[in-house]
Amino acid sequence: MAIISRGFSGRRTPADAKLPPGQYLTTDFPVLSAGPTPRISLDRWEFTIDDGSNVLKRWDWKSFRELPSETITTDLHCVTRWSKLGTSWEGVSLDVLLADLKTDLPYAMFRSYGDYTTNLPLKDVMNKQAWIAFKYAGADLAPEHGGPARLLVPHLYLWKSAKWVTGMTLMPHDKPGFWENLGYHIYGDPWHEQRYSNE
Amino acid sequence: MTWRAANVVAVHDETATARTLALAVRDWPGHVAGQHVDVRLTAPDGYSAVRSYSIASAPISDGHIEITVERLPNGEVSPYLTQEVMVGDELELRGPIGGWFVWRMDQTEPIQLVAGGSGIVPLMGMIRSRRSAGSSARFRLLYSVREPEKVFYRDELRTLSNQGDSVVITYAYTRVTPSDWPRPAGRIDAPLIAMGTWPLTLQPTSYVCGPTSFVEHATDLLIAAGHHRERIRTERFGATGERK
Amino acid sequence: MNASMNYVDGNAAGGELSRIFAVDITSAEGQCANCDAKRRFAEAHLYLQCPGLVARCSVCGHVLLRLANIQGRVLLDLCGMKRLTFDTTKQSNATS
Protein backbone atom coordinates (compact mmCIF):
# COMPACT_ATOMS: atom_id res chain seq x y z
CA MET A 1 0.00 0.00 0.00
CA ALA A 2 1.88 3.05 -1.26
CA ILE A 3 2.08 6.27 0.70
CA ILE A 4 0.22 8.99 -1.18
CA SER A 5 2.41 12.03 -1.68
CA ARG A 6 0.52 15.17 -0.75
CA GLY A 7 0.17 17.51 -3.72
CA PHE A 8 1.97 15.30 -6.27
CA SER A 9 0.44 14.80 -9.68
CA GLY A 10 3.40 14.31 -11.97
CA ARG A 11 3.57 15.82 -15.41
CA ARG A 12 0.00 15.01 -16.30
CA THR A 13 -3.04 17.14 -16.89
CA PRO A 14 -6.63 16.14 -16.12
CA ALA A 15 -7.88 13.63 -18.64
CA ASP A 16 -11.04 15.12 -20.08
CA ALA A 17 -10.44 13.56 -23.48
CA LYS A 18 -11.40 10.02 -24.21
CA LEU A 19 -8.30 7.95 -23.70
CA PRO A 20 -7.64 4.23 -23.86
CA PRO A 21 -7.95 2.49 -20.48
CA GLY A 22 -5.16 3.21 -17.98
CA GLN A 23 -3.68 6.12 -19.93
CA TYR A 24 -2.87 9.67 -18.77
CA LEU A 25 -2.77 12.76 -20.93
CA THR A 26 0.59 14.47 -21.33
CA THR A 27 1.42 17.77 -22.99
CA ASP A 28 5.12 17.17 -23.47
CA PHE A 29 6.66 14.47 -25.68
CA PRO A 30 8.63 12.02 -23.51
CA VAL A 31 11.68 10.48 -25.12
CA LEU A 32 11.88 6.78 -24.46
CA SER A 33 14.74 4.67 -25.72
CA ALA A 34 16.32 1.30 -25.06
CA GLY A 35 19.69 2.37 -26.37
CA PRO A 36 21.84 5.14 -27.78
CA THR A 37 20.35 7.50 -30.35
CA PRO A 38 21.68 6.37 -33.73
CA ARG A 39 23.16 9.13 -35.88
CA ILE A 40 22.36 8.20 -39.46
CA SER A 41 23.57 10.36 -42.30
CA LEU A 42 21.09 10.73 -45.10
CA ASP A 43 23.55 9.49 -47.70
CA ARG A 44 23.77 6.20 -45.79
CA TRP A 45 20.06 5.83 -44.96
CA GLU A 46 18.02 3.15 -46.61
CA PHE A 47 14.71 1.35 -46.16
CA THR A 48 14.47 -2.19 -47.46
CA ILE A 49 11.73 -4.78 -47.66
CA ASP A 50 12.96 -8.37 -47.68
CA ASP A 51 11.42 -11.80 -47.21
CA GLY A 52 14.24 -13.27 -45.20
CA SER A 53 16.13 -14.39 -48.29
CA ASN A 54 15.82 -11.71 -50.92
CA VAL A 55 15.60 -7.95 -50.87
CA LEU A 56 12.32 -7.15 -52.57
CA LYS A 57 12.47 -3.37 -52.50
CA ARG A 58 14.99 -0.74 -51.49
CA TRP A 59 14.91 3.04 -51.25
CA ASP A 60 17.69 5.42 -50.43
CA TRP A 61 16.81 8.81 -48.92
CA LYS A 62 16.51 10.50 -52.31
CA SER A 63 14.19 7.92 -53.82
CA PHE A 64 12.23 7.65 -50.58
CA ARG A 65 11.59 11.39 -50.47
CA GLU A 66 10.40 11.34 -54.08
CA LEU A 67 7.50 9.11 -53.07
CA PRO A 68 4.15 10.79 -52.41
CA SER A 69 3.78 11.73 -48.77
CA GLU A 70 0.92 12.96 -46.67
CA THR A 71 0.27 14.77 -43.42
CA ILE A 72 -1.29 12.86 -40.57
CA THR A 73 -2.77 14.14 -37.34
CA THR A 74 -3.12 11.42 -34.78
CA ASP A 75 -2.98 10.39 -31.15
CA LEU A 76 -0.12 8.48 -29.55
CA HIS A 77 -0.48 5.97 -26.73
CA CYS A 78 2.60 4.68 -24.95
CA VAL A 79 2.54 1.51 -22.88
CA THR A 80 4.22 3.46 -20.06
CA ARG A 81 0.77 5.10 -19.76
CA TRP A 82 1.18 8.50 -21.34
CA SER A 83 -0.95 9.59 -24.27
CA LYS A 84 -0.36 12.61 -26.47
CA LEU A 85 -3.25 13.78 -28.61
CA GLY A 86 -3.38 15.59 -31.91
CA THR A 87 0.22 15.10 -32.98
CA SER A 88 1.04 16.04 -36.55
CA TRP A 89 3.38 14.16 -38.83
CA GLU A 90 4.37 13.92 -42.45
CA GLY A 91 5.24 10.55 -43.92
CA VAL A 92 4.98 8.03 -46.69
CA SER A 93 2.15 5.56 -46.29
CA LEU A 94 3.10 1.89 -46.11
CA ASP A 95 0.43 1.43 -48.80
CA VAL A 96 2.74 3.33 -51.16
CA LEU A 97 5.78 1.26 -50.16
CA LEU A 98 3.87 -2.02 -50.44
CA ALA A 99 2.14 -1.13 -53.70
CA ASP A 100 2.71 -3.79 -56.38
CA LEU A 101 4.46 -6.03 -53.90
CA LYS A 102 2.96 -9.48 -54.07
CA THR A 103 3.42 -11.60 -51.01
CA ASP A 104 1.57 -14.23 -49.07
CA LEU A 105 3.70 -13.69 -46.00
CA PRO A 106 1.27 -12.29 -43.41
CA TYR A 107 3.69 -10.83 -40.81
CA ALA A 108 6.52 -8.31 -40.74
CA MET A 109 9.43 -7.61 -38.42
CA PHE A 110 10.41 -3.97 -38.57
CA ARG A 111 14.11 -3.31 -38.01
CA SER A 112 15.75 -0.16 -36.74
CA TYR A 113 19.28 1.20 -36.84
CA GLY A 114 20.73 -0.10 -33.58
CA ASP A 115 19.21 -3.39 -32.54
CA TYR A 116 15.56 -2.57 -32.00
CA THR A 117 12.88 -4.69 -33.65
CA THR A 118 9.11 -4.91 -33.46
CA ASN A 119 6.66 -7.28 -35.12
CA LEU A 120 3.31 -6.50 -36.76
CA PRO A 121 0.72 -8.33 -38.85
CA LEU A 122 1.12 -7.04 -42.40
CA LYS A 123 -2.57 -6.15 -42.56
CA ASP A 124 -2.03 -3.73 -39.64
CA VAL A 125 0.39 -1.62 -41.65
CA MET A 126 -1.86 -1.49 -44.73
CA ASN A 127 -5.02 0.45 -45.51
CA LYS A 128 -4.01 3.85 -44.20
CA GLN A 129 -2.87 2.55 -40.83
CA ALA A 130 0.90 3.08 -41.02
CA TRP A 131 3.52 5.51 -42.33
CA ILE A 132 7.24 5.97 -42.46
CA ALA A 133 7.27 9.45 -40.93
CA PHE A 134 10.07 11.97 -41.49
CA LYS A 135 8.52 15.18 -40.13
CA TYR A 136 6.96 15.93 -36.76
CA ALA A 137 5.08 19.17 -35.99
CA GLY A 138 6.19 20.63 -39.30
CA ALA A 139 9.93 20.14 -38.80
CA ASP A 140 12.36 17.38 -39.69
CA LEU A 141 11.99 14.52 -37.23
CA ALA A 142 14.58 14.97 -34.47
CA PRO A 143 16.99 12.10 -33.80
CA GLU A 144 15.72 11.53 -30.25
CA HIS A 145 12.21 11.05 -31.62
CA GLY A 146 13.34 8.62 -34.30
CA GLY A 147 14.75 10.78 -37.07
CA PRO A 148 15.60 10.64 -39.96
CA ALA A 149 12.50 8.43 -40.19
CA ARG A 150 10.40 6.24 -37.95
CA LEU A 151 7.51 3.88 -38.35
CA LEU A 152 4.19 5.33 -37.20
CA VAL A 153 1.36 2.90 -36.40
CA PRO A 154 -0.93 4.94 -34.15
CA HIS A 155 -3.65 2.34 -33.62
CA LEU A 156 -1.21 0.25 -31.53
CA TYR A 157 0.95 1.13 -28.53
CA LEU A 158 3.81 3.41 -29.45
CA TRP A 159 6.53 0.78 -28.98
CA LYS A 160 5.28 -0.62 -32.31
CA SER A 161 6.15 2.68 -34.01
CA ALA A 162 9.81 1.80 -34.35
CA LYS A 163 12.17 4.76 -34.25
CA TRP A 164 15.12 4.91 -36.68
CA VAL A 165 13.41 2.37 -38.90
CA THR A 166 15.53 0.88 -41.66
CA GLY A 167 13.46 -1.96 -43.05
CA MET A 168 10.91 -4.71 -42.74
CA THR A 169 11.34 -8.45 -43.08
CA LEU A 170 8.26 -10.33 -44.19
CA MET A 171 7.62 -13.51 -42.22
CA PRO A 172 5.34 -16.54 -42.46
CA HIS A 173 4.67 -16.61 -38.73
CA ASP A 174 4.49 -13.95 -36.06
CA LYS A 175 7.71 -13.64 -34.07
CA PRO A 176 8.21 -11.39 -31.05
CA GLY A 177 10.48 -8.37 -31.39
CA PHE A 178 12.58 -6.58 -28.77
CA TRP A 179 9.91 -5.79 -26.16
CA GLU A 180 7.53 -8.54 -27.17
CA ASN A 181 10.06 -11.23 -26.36
CA LEU A 182 10.63 -9.78 -22.90
CA GLY A 183 6.97 -9.95 -21.97
CA TYR A 184 5.04 -7.23 -23.77
CA HIS A 185 1.97 -8.12 -25.80
CA ILE A 186 2.57 -9.58 -29.25
CA TYR A 187 -0.08 -7.25 -30.78
CA GLY A 188 -0.52 -4.26 -28.45
CA ASP A 189 -3.98 -2.73 -28.93
CA PRO A 190 -4.33 0.13 -26.42
CA TRP A 191 -8.13 0.11 -26.63
CA HIS A 192 -8.14 -3.44 -25.30
CA GLU A 193 -5.26 -2.59 -22.97
CA GLN A 194 -3.02 -5.26 -24.47
CA ARG A 195 0.14 -4.20 -22.69
CA TYR A 196 1.54 -7.54 -21.64
CA SER A 197 1.84 -11.06 -22.91
CA ASN A 198 -0.50 -13.52 -21.26
CA GLU A 199 2.06 -16.28 -21.27
CA MET B 1 14.48 -4.29 -0.03
CA THR B 2 11.13 -2.85 0.88
CA TRP B 3 9.67 0.62 0.62
CA ARG B 4 9.84 2.49 3.91
CA ALA B 5 8.13 5.61 5.17
CA ALA B 6 10.33 8.66 5.64
CA ASN B 7 9.25 11.86 7.38
CA VAL B 8 10.62 15.18 6.27
CA VAL B 9 12.03 16.73 9.44
CA ALA B 10 13.89 19.70 7.94
CA VAL B 11 14.55 21.41 4.62
CA HIS B 12 17.50 23.59 3.76
CA ASP B 13 18.26 25.38 0.49
CA GLU B 14 21.78 24.78 -0.79
CA THR B 15 21.35 27.06 -3.80
CA ALA B 16 18.50 28.82 -5.59
CA THR B 17 17.63 25.51 -7.25
CA ALA B 18 18.84 22.82 -4.87
CA ARG B 19 17.41 21.79 -1.55
CA THR B 20 18.53 19.35 1.13
CA LEU B 21 15.80 17.29 2.76
CA ALA B 22 16.48 15.78 6.18
CA LEU B 23 14.48 12.58 6.58
CA ALA B 24 13.66 10.38 9.55
CA VAL B 25 13.35 6.90 8.09
CA ARG B 26 11.39 4.17 9.83
CA ASP B 27 13.60 1.14 10.63
CA TRP B 28 16.57 2.59 8.74
CA PRO B 29 19.32 -0.08 8.70
CA GLY B 30 22.19 2.38 8.29
CA HIS B 31 24.26 2.94 5.18
CA VAL B 32 27.74 3.26 3.71
CA ALA B 33 28.93 6.55 2.16
CA GLY B 34 28.17 6.68 -1.56
CA GLN B 35 24.95 4.69 -1.44
CA HIS B 36 21.68 6.11 -2.65
CA VAL B 37 17.98 5.73 -2.03
CA ASP B 38 15.09 5.43 -4.47
CA VAL B 39 12.26 7.85 -3.64
CA ARG B 40 8.75 6.99 -4.79
CA LEU B 41 5.97 9.54 -5.13
CA THR B 42 2.38 8.39 -5.61
CA ALA B 43 -0.49 10.59 -6.77
CA PRO B 44 -3.98 10.01 -5.34
CA ASP B 45 -5.03 8.18 -8.54
CA GLY B 46 -2.17 5.72 -8.14
CA TYR B 47 0.22 7.21 -10.69
CA SER B 48 3.75 6.91 -9.34
CA ALA B 49 7.24 8.08 -10.19
CA VAL B 50 10.54 6.81 -8.81
CA ARG B 51 13.88 8.67 -8.76
CA SER B 52 17.26 7.86 -7.22
CA TYR B 53 19.01 10.31 -4.87
CA SER B 54 22.41 9.93 -3.27
CA ILE B 55 22.66 10.12 0.50
CA ALA B 56 24.50 13.29 1.48
CA SER B 57 24.80 12.65 5.20
CA ALA B 58 27.38 10.62 7.10
CA PRO B 59 26.42 7.13 8.25
CA ILE B 60 25.45 8.00 11.82
CA SER B 61 23.11 5.38 13.13
CA ASP B 62 20.12 7.35 14.33
CA GLY B 63 17.68 6.69 11.49
CA HIS B 64 18.14 10.13 9.91
CA ILE B 65 19.52 10.72 6.42
CA GLU B 66 19.82 13.72 4.15
CA ILE B 67 19.41 13.92 0.39
CA THR B 68 20.10 16.97 -1.77
CA VAL B 69 17.85 17.44 -4.79
CA GLU B 70 18.62 19.73 -7.74
CA ARG B 71 15.51 21.12 -9.41
CA LEU B 72 15.58 20.26 -13.11
CA PRO B 73 13.79 22.58 -15.53
CA ASN B 74 11.53 19.90 -17.01
CA GLY B 75 11.66 17.55 -14.06
CA GLU B 76 8.65 15.64 -12.88
CA VAL B 77 9.82 14.84 -9.37
CA SER B 78 12.53 17.41 -8.54
CA PRO B 79 10.20 20.46 -8.69
CA TYR B 80 7.93 18.67 -6.21
CA LEU B 81 10.76 17.76 -3.84
CA THR B 82 12.40 21.20 -3.97
CA GLN B 83 9.31 23.42 -3.90
CA GLU B 84 6.23 21.55 -2.72
CA VAL B 85 7.46 19.24 0.03
CA MET B 86 7.12 20.60 3.55
CA VAL B 87 8.37 19.56 6.96
CA GLY B 88 5.98 16.92 8.22
CA ASP B 89 5.29 15.36 4.81
CA GLU B 90 5.83 11.67 4.32
CA LEU B 91 7.79 10.15 1.43
CA GLU B 92 8.47 6.57 0.50
CA LEU B 93 11.97 5.38 -0.03
CA ARG B 94 13.91 2.19 -0.67
CA GLY B 95 17.52 1.57 0.27
CA PRO B 96 20.34 1.96 0.95
CA ILE B 97 21.39 0.86 -2.53
CA GLY B 98 24.80 0.19 -4.00
CA GLY B 99 27.95 -1.74 -3.19
CA TRP B 100 30.47 -0.47 -5.72
CA PHE B 101 30.29 3.31 -5.61
CA VAL B 102 30.96 3.36 -1.87
CA TRP B 103 33.74 4.50 0.46
CA ARG B 104 34.14 2.36 3.53
CA MET B 105 35.68 3.71 6.68
CA ASP B 106 38.31 0.97 6.70
CA GLN B 107 39.75 2.18 3.37
CA THR B 108 43.13 3.80 4.07
CA GLU B 109 44.41 4.62 0.57
CA PRO B 110 44.35 8.21 -0.75
CA ILE B 111 40.98 9.11 -2.21
CA GLN B 112 40.35 11.39 -5.21
CA LEU B 113 36.80 12.74 -5.49
CA VAL B 114 35.71 14.33 -8.80
CA ALA B 115 32.31 16.02 -8.78
CA GLY B 116 30.37 17.55 -11.66
CA GLY B 117 27.47 19.71 -10.51
CA SER B 118 25.04 17.71 -8.39
CA GLY B 119 27.54 14.85 -8.47
CA ILE B 120 28.97 16.40 -5.30
CA VAL B 121 26.17 14.83 -3.23
CA PRO B 122 27.48 11.28 -2.70
CA LEU B 123 31.04 12.59 -2.50
CA MET B 124 30.00 14.94 0.30
CA GLY B 125 28.57 11.87 2.00
CA MET B 126 32.04 10.35 1.78
CA ILE B 127 33.71 13.50 3.13
CA ARG B 128 31.27 13.58 6.04
CA SER B 129 31.73 9.88 6.65
CA ARG B 130 35.52 10.35 6.85
CA ARG B 131 35.06 13.09 9.42
CA SER B 132 32.60 11.22 11.61
CA ALA B 133 34.85 8.14 11.55
CA GLY B 134 37.90 10.19 12.50
CA SER B 135 39.67 8.74 9.46
CA SER B 136 43.02 10.17 8.45
CA ALA B 137 42.77 8.89 4.87
CA ARG B 138 44.01 11.58 2.48
CA PHE B 139 41.05 13.04 0.59
CA ARG B 140 41.15 15.41 -2.34
CA LEU B 141 38.14 16.93 -4.13
CA LEU B 142 37.97 18.38 -7.63
CA TYR B 143 34.55 20.10 -7.82
CA SER B 144 33.44 21.27 -11.26
CA VAL B 145 30.42 23.54 -11.25
CA ARG B 146 28.88 26.12 -13.59
CA GLU B 147 29.30 29.15 -11.37
CA PRO B 148 29.97 29.99 -7.72
CA GLU B 149 26.22 30.26 -6.93
CA LYS B 150 25.80 26.60 -7.86
CA VAL B 151 28.17 25.25 -5.21
CA PHE B 152 26.44 22.95 -2.70
CA TYR B 153 27.56 22.84 0.96
CA ARG B 154 29.50 26.05 0.41
CA ASP B 155 30.09 27.01 4.05
CA GLU B 156 30.98 23.48 5.11
CA LEU B 157 33.46 23.10 2.27
CA ARG B 158 35.01 26.48 3.09
CA THR B 159 35.45 25.41 6.72
CA LEU B 160 37.04 22.16 5.59
CA SER B 161 39.43 24.01 3.29
CA ASN B 162 40.64 26.10 6.21
CA GLN B 163 41.39 23.11 8.40
CA GLY B 164 44.79 21.53 8.21
CA ASP B 165 45.10 17.82 7.62
CA SER B 166 41.72 17.76 5.93
CA VAL B 167 40.26 17.61 2.45
CA VAL B 168 42.15 19.47 -0.29
CA ILE B 169 39.61 21.16 -2.55
CA THR B 170 40.06 22.46 -6.09
CA TYR B 171 37.15 24.24 -7.76
CA ALA B 172 36.64 24.44 -11.51
CA TYR B 173 34.01 26.76 -12.97
CA THR B 174 32.62 25.96 -16.40
CA ARG B 175 30.52 29.06 -17.22
CA VAL B 176 31.16 31.92 -14.78
CA THR B 177 34.15 32.30 -12.48
CA PRO B 178 34.57 34.43 -9.37
CA SER B 179 36.36 37.73 -10.12
CA ASP B 180 40.15 37.40 -10.22
CA TRP B 181 39.91 33.65 -10.70
CA PRO B 182 43.18 32.40 -12.22
CA ARG B 183 41.62 29.87 -14.53
CA PRO B 184 39.13 30.98 -17.26
CA ALA B 185 35.70 29.35 -17.30
CA GLY B 186 35.71 25.98 -19.04
CA ARG B 187 35.40 22.24 -18.72
CA ILE B 188 37.96 20.32 -16.73
CA ASP B 189 40.99 19.37 -18.80
CA ALA B 190 44.32 17.56 -18.59
CA PRO B 191 46.25 20.45 -16.96
CA LEU B 192 43.59 20.73 -14.25
CA ILE B 193 43.77 17.00 -13.58
CA ALA B 194 47.56 17.27 -13.39
CA MET B 195 47.55 20.09 -10.82
CA GLY B 196 44.24 19.48 -9.06
CA THR B 197 44.20 15.76 -8.30
CA TRP B 198 46.38 13.25 -6.47
CA PRO B 199 49.37 12.12 -8.53
CA LEU B 200 49.53 8.61 -9.90
CA THR B 201 52.35 7.73 -7.51
CA LEU B 202 49.93 7.86 -4.56
CA GLN B 203 47.80 5.18 -6.27
CA PRO B 204 44.51 6.73 -5.21
CA THR B 205 41.06 5.28 -5.61
CA SER B 206 38.97 7.80 -7.54
CA TYR B 207 35.24 8.44 -7.36
CA VAL B 208 33.71 10.40 -10.24
CA CYS B 209 30.07 11.53 -10.13
CA GLY B 210 27.85 13.87 -12.10
CA PRO B 211 25.99 14.09 -15.39
CA THR B 212 26.89 11.29 -17.81
CA SER B 213 28.90 13.48 -20.20
CA PHE B 214 30.92 14.89 -17.29
CA VAL B 215 31.69 11.42 -15.93
CA GLU B 216 32.79 10.13 -19.34
CA HIS B 217 35.00 13.18 -19.89
CA ALA B 218 36.55 13.14 -16.41
CA THR B 219 37.14 9.39 -16.55
CA ASP B 220 38.83 9.69 -19.95
CA LEU B 221 41.12 12.37 -18.49
CA LEU B 222 42.04 10.24 -15.47
CA ILE B 223 42.80 7.24 -17.66
CA ALA B 224 44.86 9.41 -20.01
CA ALA B 225 46.82 10.55 -16.94
CA GLY B 226 47.65 6.92 -16.24
CA HIS B 227 45.08 5.91 -13.63
CA HIS B 228 43.85 2.37 -13.96
CA ARG B 229 40.22 1.89 -14.91
CA GLU B 230 39.58 -0.46 -12.01
CA ARG B 231 40.74 2.27 -9.55
CA ILE B 232 38.14 4.70 -10.89
CA ARG B 233 34.60 4.28 -9.64
CA THR B 234 31.85 6.16 -11.39
CA GLU B 235 28.23 7.14 -10.94
CA ARG B 236 26.33 8.78 -13.82
CA PHE B 237 23.32 11.01 -13.26
CA GLY B 238 22.04 11.03 -16.85
CA ALA B 239 22.07 13.61 -19.62
CA THR B 240 20.37 16.28 -17.56
CA GLY B 241 21.64 15.13 -14.21
CA GLU B 242 18.42 13.27 -13.37
CA ARG B 243 18.35 9.53 -12.93
CA LYS B 244 15.20 8.20 -14.58
CA MET C 1 30.94 6.47 -28.29
CA ASN C 2 27.37 7.31 -27.39
CA ALA C 3 27.11 10.96 -28.26
CA SER C 4 23.58 11.32 -26.95
CA MET C 5 24.65 10.50 -23.35
CA ASN C 6 21.05 9.47 -22.69
CA TYR C 7 22.06 6.72 -20.30
CA VAL C 8 22.92 6.33 -16.64
CA ASP C 9 24.83 3.39 -15.29
CA GLY C 10 24.36 0.12 -13.46
CA ASN C 11 24.30 1.88 -10.06
CA ALA C 12 20.81 3.14 -10.87
CA ALA C 13 19.52 -0.41 -11.39
CA GLY C 14 20.54 -1.40 -7.87
CA GLY C 15 17.13 -0.74 -6.36
CA GLU C 16 15.16 -2.68 -8.97
CA LEU C 17 17.61 -5.58 -9.02
CA SER C 18 17.63 -5.78 -5.22
CA ARG C 19 14.10 -7.17 -5.54
CA ILE C 20 15.56 -10.25 -7.21
CA PHE C 21 19.19 -10.57 -6.19
CA ALA C 22 19.98 -11.09 -2.52
CA VAL C 23 23.39 -9.46 -2.90
CA ASP C 24 24.34 -6.17 -4.50
CA ILE C 25 24.68 -6.55 -8.28
CA THR C 26 26.45 -3.26 -8.93
CA SER C 27 29.78 -4.56 -7.64
CA ALA C 28 29.47 -7.87 -9.50
CA GLU C 29 31.74 -8.36 -12.49
CA GLY C 30 29.86 -9.20 -15.66
CA GLN C 31 31.21 -10.61 -18.91
CA CYS C 32 29.60 -9.48 -22.15
CA ALA C 33 28.39 -12.39 -24.27
CA ASN C 34 29.10 -10.41 -27.42
CA CYS C 35 32.60 -8.95 -26.97
CA ASP C 36 33.80 -10.84 -23.85
CA ALA C 37 34.67 -7.59 -22.03
CA LYS C 38 34.61 -7.93 -18.25
CA ARG C 39 33.32 -4.92 -16.38
CA ARG C 40 31.64 -4.13 -13.09
CA PHE C 41 27.89 -4.06 -13.53
CA ALA C 42 27.97 -0.52 -12.06
CA GLU C 43 29.75 0.59 -15.26
CA ALA C 44 27.12 -0.79 -17.64
CA HIS C 45 25.21 1.79 -19.67
CA LEU C 46 21.69 1.79 -18.33
CA TYR C 47 18.59 2.95 -20.19
CA LEU C 48 15.66 3.63 -17.88
CA GLN C 49 13.45 5.75 -20.14
CA CYS C 50 11.65 2.84 -21.77
CA PRO C 51 9.02 0.18 -21.00
CA GLY C 52 11.55 -1.62 -18.82
CA LEU C 53 15.20 -1.33 -17.96
CA VAL C 54 17.97 -2.12 -20.44
CA ALA C 55 21.66 -2.48 -19.51
CA ARG C 56 24.23 -2.40 -22.34
CA CYS C 57 27.91 -3.26 -22.47
CA SER C 58 29.94 -0.06 -22.12
CA VAL C 59 32.44 -1.40 -24.64
CA CYS C 60 30.34 -2.75 -27.52
CA GLY C 61 26.76 -1.63 -26.79
CA HIS C 62 25.31 -5.13 -26.77
CA VAL C 63 22.30 -5.67 -24.49
CA LEU C 64 23.50 -7.34 -21.27
CA LEU C 65 20.29 -7.45 -19.32
CA ARG C 66 16.66 -6.42 -19.66
CA LEU C 67 14.06 -6.17 -16.92
CA ALA C 68 10.36 -5.40 -16.99
CA ASN C 69 7.82 -5.16 -14.19
CA ILE C 70 4.65 -6.71 -15.49
CA GLN C 71 1.58 -7.25 -13.37
CA GLY C 72 3.38 -8.15 -10.19
CA ARG C 73 5.99 -10.25 -11.94
CA VAL C 74 9.57 -9.27 -12.64
CA LEU C 75 10.74 -10.49 -16.05
CA LEU C 76 14.49 -10.70 -16.40
CA ASP C 77 16.49 -11.51 -19.51
CA LEU C 78 20.18 -12.09 -18.80
CA CYS C 79 21.11 -13.56 -22.20
CA GLY C 80 23.65 -10.84 -22.97
CA MET C 81 25.90 -11.75 -20.08
CA LYS C 82 28.02 -14.86 -20.10
CA ARG C 83 28.80 -14.72 -16.44
CA LEU C 84 28.32 -12.59 -13.36
CA THR C 85 30.86 -12.92 -10.57
CA PHE C 86 29.71 -11.85 -7.11
CA ASP C 87 32.06 -11.32 -4.17
CA THR C 88 30.01 -12.55 -1.25
CA THR C 89 32.74 -11.92 1.32
CA LYS C 90 31.78 -8.23 1.54
CA GLN C 91 28.43 -7.34 3.04
CA SER C 92 27.66 -4.50 0.66
CA ASN C 93 24.75 -3.00 2.54
CA ALA C 94 26.22 -3.25 6.01
CA THR C 95 27.45 -0.14 7.73
CA SER C 96 31.17 -0.21 8.22
Side-chain angles (χ1 to χ4, degrees), chain A residues 32-34 36 115 178 181 184, chain C residues 2 4 47 49 51 56 66 70:
Chain A
L32 273 69
S33 181
D115 53 12
F178 187 95
N181 73 36
Y184 284 85
Chain C
N2 177 351
S4 47
Y47 295 86
Q49 312 270 29
R56 290 180 178 270
R66 296 185 300 164
I70 288 178

Side-chain angles (χ1 to χ4, degrees), chain A residues 148-192:
Chain A
R150 74 177 295 165
L151 179 64
L152 185 65
V153 193
H155 70 282
L156 299 175
Y157 280 118
L158 199 60
W159 92 73
K160 295 284 184 180
S161 292
K163 297 202 272 196
W164 315 297
V165 75
T166 186
M168 57 191 286
T169 300
L170 301 173
M171 317 187 285
H173 308 288
D174 208 2
K175 266 192 348 178
F178 187 95
W179 288 121
E180 296 85 358
N181 73 36
L182 182 63
Y184 284 85
H185 200 277
I186 194 93
Y187 183 63
D189 177 356
W191 297 97
H192 290 94

Side-chain angles (χ1 to χ4, degrees), chain A residues 31-37 39 78-80 115-116 159 177-184 195-199, chain C residues 1-4 6 47-54 56 61-63 66-71 73 75-77:
Chain A
V31 175
L32 273 69
S33 181
T37 302
R39 304 280 165 182
C78 181
V79 74
T80 61
D115 53 12
Y116 188 76
W159 92 73
F178 187 95
W179 288 121
E180 296 85 358
N181 73 36
L182 182 63
Y184 284 85
R195 299 178 195 271
Y196 314 118
S197 162
N198 293 321
E199 288 140 39
Chain C
M1 198 193 105
N2 177 351
S4 47
N6 58 331
Y47 295 86
L48 297 175
Q49 312 270 29
C50 54
L53 174 164
V54 175
R56 290 180 178 270
H62 189 73
V63 173
R66 296 185 300 164
L67 181 150
N69 284 300
I70 288 178
Q71 294 172 316
R73 292 173 293 150
L75 303 173
L76 183 64
D77 166 17

Side-chain angles (χ1 to χ4, degrees), chain B residues 5-243:
Chain B
N7 271 302
V8 180
V9 299
V11 301
H12 163 71
D13 285 336
E14 298 292 343
T15 68
T17 53
R19 174 173 284 187
T20 290
L21 304 180
L23 307 169
V25 189
R26 196 171 304 159
D27 301 323
W28 181 245
H31 72 279
V32 176
Q35 290 186 307
H36 66 269
V37 291
D38 289 344
V39 172
R40 179 168 73 183
L41 302 180
T42 306
D45 63 0
Y47 174 85
S48 70
V50 178
R51 298 293 185 272
S52 300
Y53 294 102
S54 295
I55 301 169
S57 48
I60 28 182
S61 49
D62 66 345
H64 282 78
I65 62 169
E66 290 183 356
I67 58 174
T68 303
V69 179
E70 170 85 46
R71 180 164 65 254
L72 299 173
N74 294 316
E76 185 175 33
V77 168
S78 61
Y80 176 80
L81 292 177
T82 54
Q83 296 174 294
E84 183 65 39
V85 159
M86 304 187 305
V87 170
D89 280 342
E90 205 172 41
L91 303 175
E92 263 190 312
L93 59 81
R94 168 172 74 181
I97 299 160
W100 180 245
F101 193 77
V102 293
W103 180 77
R104 299 176 193 279
M105 298 172 183
D106 59 6
Q107 284 176 246
T108 53
E109 79 276 20
I111 298 296
Q112 178 63 52
L113 308 175
V114 183
S118 53
I120 185 63
V121 179
L123 307 185
M124 197 65 191
M126 294 178 185
I127 289 171
R128 290 165 167 170
S129 176
R130 171 187 178 273
R131 184 171 68 224
S132 77
S135 162
S136 55
R138 300 172 70 179
F139 266 44
R140 199 156 176 181
L141 168 66
L142 173 58
Y143 186 1
S144 174
V145 66
R146 282 190 184 182
E147 54 194 68
E149 288 70 35
K150 291 286 189 186
V151 169
F152 293 5
Y153 321 117
R154 190 172 21 221
D155 294 342
E156 193 174 337
L157 288 173
R158 186 181 304 131
T159 305
L160 274 175
S161 272
N162 294 338
Q163 286 168 354
D165 185 34
S166 191
V167 183
V168 178
I169 304 175
T170 304
Y171 292 91
Y173 299 99
T174 60
R175 301 270 173 96
V176 180
T177 68
S179 48
D180 298 334
W181 192 253
R183 183 179 184 268
R187 291 175 93 195
I188 60 171
D189 53 20
L192 191 58
I193 295 288
M195 67 82 109
T197 65
W198 289 135
L200 201 49
T201 45
L202 287 184
Q203 297 192 292
T205 298
S206 300
Y207 296 87
V208 184
C209 186
T212 297
S213 58
F214 174 84
V215 171
E216 302 302 3
H217 178 58
T219 303
D220 287 345
L221 289 172
L222 288 170
I223 290 174
H227 294 275
H228 197 274
R229 196 176 28 80
E230 267 280 299
R231 300 301 296 269
I232 305 168
R233 302 195 182 197
T234 55
E235 183 153 77
R236 294 161 183 77
F237 281 5
T240 54
E242 181 178 37
R243 287 175 288 186

